[in-house]
């Protein structure tokens, strides 16, 4: 019996060791060496969310898309060139992908915000603290916390939980809003619609799904002739439409304080496996069918 127990323990140890030694297909971390970015990626997509050191340049909750070719993880390699002479804008140049997406003060590629009287009430700070809840070669779960801000006399704070797994163009996000001054609050996930970028919208702008296909949005460093697909899906959404200022496409619903607003956001690059608007919109609809 003792030999059997030892054998089982040895087998479990071997399996644990193999799991630890497997090449990671996901990554997420705080990047203090680059203005408190919080970067995340899997083998298909990558992105970042702005931290405290970048406040004012910009202060924005938006998800910044980093386009990349399918396959390996790239973010740590790109960040490793920060501070090298001549490489200040390294990740704005194509090294199998790059940062060519303009966020500025917006929801970027799928962040959320309270929507009060038709107006997005973005956080007044970038994220201020984080926690990694789970981490393995195939899954990372992290939380970014935004301190309290005022939304038209409603005090609001946000804990944003994102789950990163491989082999998908979409990541699950669970936003927990805590607020006082009202029984419920409309929360909207959104995508910025870049002006003059030939934005094509999916015809299926309903049932909580909004997706676009457009030219690269920021070409001041290196011209980019590819296209970017961006999408969000909010199960149970009661609001789907274009914001009053026509800058964002939004999907949202009302929640109570402490209730989780669950949705998915994702993106692709035309130089990867998804080459057309129709192909991207098809991927978005597949997602909706899975999680509806």
């Amino acid at each position: 019996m003792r030999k059997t127990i030892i054998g089982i323990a040895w087998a479990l140890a071997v399996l644990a060791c193999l799991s630890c030694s497997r090449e990671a297909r996901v990554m997420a971390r705080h990047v203090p060496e680059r203005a408190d970015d919080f970067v995340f990626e899997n083998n298909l997509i990558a992105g970042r969310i702005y931290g405290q050191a970048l406040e004012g340049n910009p202060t924005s909750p938006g998800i910044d898309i980093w386009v990349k070719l399918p396959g390996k993880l790239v973010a740590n390699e790109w960040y490793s060139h920060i501070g090298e002479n001549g490489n200040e804008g390294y990740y704005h140049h194509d090294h199998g992908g790059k940062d060519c997406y303009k966020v500025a003060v917006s929801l970027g590629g799928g962040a959320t915000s309270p929507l009060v009287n038709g107006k997005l009430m973005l956080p007044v700070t970038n994220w201020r603290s984080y926690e990694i809840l789970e981490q393995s070669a195939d899954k990372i779960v992290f939380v970014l916390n935004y301190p309290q801000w005022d939304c038209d006399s409603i005090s609001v704070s946000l804990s944003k939980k994102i789950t990163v797994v491989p082999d998908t163009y979409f990541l699950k996000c669970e936003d927990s809003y805590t607020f006082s001054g009202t029984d419920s609050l409309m929360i909207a996930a959104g995508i910025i619609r870049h002006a003059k970028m030939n934005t094509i919208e999916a015809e299926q702008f309903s049932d909580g799904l909004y997706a676009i296909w457009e030219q690269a949005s920021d070409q001041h460093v290196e011209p980019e002739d590819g296209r970017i697909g961006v999408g969000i899906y909010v199960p149970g959404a009661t609001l789907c439409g274009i914001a009053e200022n026509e800058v964002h496409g939004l999907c949202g619903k009302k929640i109570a304080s402490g209730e989780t607003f669950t949705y998915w956001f994702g993106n692709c690059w035309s130089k990867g496996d998804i080459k057309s608007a129709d192909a991207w919109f098809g991927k978005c609809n597949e997602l909706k069918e899975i999680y509806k």
Side-chain angles (χ1 to χ4, degrees):
M1 181 66 173
R2 184 171 180 272
K3 288 183 178 180
T4 301
I5 293 172
I6 293 173
I8 292 172
W10 179 84
L12 290 173
V14 169
L15 286 173
C17 184
L18 288 173
S19 177
C20 291
S21 64
R22 284 206 323 271
E23 183 176 355
R25 296 196 296 160
V26 297
M27 189 277 288
R29 72 174 180 92
H30 175 215
V31 190
E33 68 270 31
R34 199 277 169 191
D36 288 334
D37 284 351
F38 200 97
V39 68
F40 56 88
E41 67 173 321
N42 65 13
N43 54 323
L44 297 178
I45 64 173
R48 62 178 173 177
I49 300 175
Y50 302 139
Q52 182 175 0
L54 203 64
E55 285 177 9
N57 190 32
T59 302
S60 173
I63 294 171
D64 186 22
I65 294 168
W66 282 11
V67 298
K68 64 180 238 182
L69 298 176
K72 67 177 183 177
L73 303 182
V74 298
N76 279 329
E77 176 189 340
W78 294 359
Y79 276 121
S80 71
H81 293 275
I82 292 174
E84 293 181 359
N85 290 333
N87 279 320
E88 292 302 320
Y90 183 86
Y91 48 75
H92 290 285
H93 296 271
D94 192 348
H95 303 278
K98 61 181 176 178
D99 177 12
C100 60
Y101 184 79
K102 188 70 172 179
V103 173
V105 183
S106 77
L107 298 178
T112 68
S113 170
L115 185 67
V116 180
N117 297 322
K119 182 181 178 181
L120 290 171
M121 307 295 288
L122 304 182
V124 298
T125 69
N126 292 342
W127 68 266
R128 286 293 184 84
S129 65
Y130 75 92
E131 183 178 3
I132 295 178
L133 302 180
E134 183 177 346
Q135 185 166 7
S136 69
D138 292 315
K139 185 178 182 181
I140 294 180
V141 183
F142 65 91
V143 175
L144 302 179
N145 297 305
Y146 291 78
Q148 191 175 85
W149 74 99
D150 181 74
C151 297
D152 195 18
S153 299
I154 302 169
S155 297
V156 179
S157 59
L158 166 63
S159 291
K160 185 177 197 70
K161 182 167 78 171
I162 297 177
T163 299
V164 186
V165 294
D167 301 326
T168 177
Y169 287 95
F170 303 93
L171 302 183
K172 183 180 181 181
C173 190
E174 299 167 272
D175 284 1
S176 178
Y177 281 90
T178 303
F179 51 86
S180 59
T182 183
D183 293 333
S184 63
L185 189 62
M186 175 64 74
I187 303 297
I191 295 171
I192 187 172
R193 304 159 72 246
H194 294 101
K196 301 179 182 179
M197 291 299 163
N198 299 321
T199 302
I200 300 171
E201 293 176 327
E203 293 181 2
Q204 302 87 351
F205 191 4
S206 61
D207 299 328
L209 174 66
Y210 179 65
I212 64 172
W213 181 263
E214 64 181 20
Q215 290 176 266
S217 62
D218 183 8
Q219 303 177 21
H220 70 282
V221 175
E222 178 184 82
E224 173 53 51
D225 59 357
R227 302 294 184 269
I228 297 175
V230 192
I232 50 173
Y233 174 55
V234 181
T238 57
L239 173 150
C240 287
I242 304 300
E244 288 182 359
N245 60 7
E246 299 188 353
V247 173
H248 289 90
L250 302 172
C251 294
K253 61 184 179 181
K254 287 187 175 183
I255 63 169
S257 179
E259 185 179 352
T260 300
F261 182 92
T262 301
Y263 71 104
W264 281 258
F265 67 89
N267 61 82
C268 73
W269 190 29
S270 64
K271 294 184 179 180
D273 294 336
I274 300 177
K275 305 292 188 183
S276 68
D278 286 344
W280 173 239
F281 297 156
K283 282 286 185 185
C284 293
N285 276 302
E286 288 175 10
L287 176 82
K288 185 177 76 170
E289 289 303 310
I290 292 171
Y291 293 108
K292 67 180 181 180

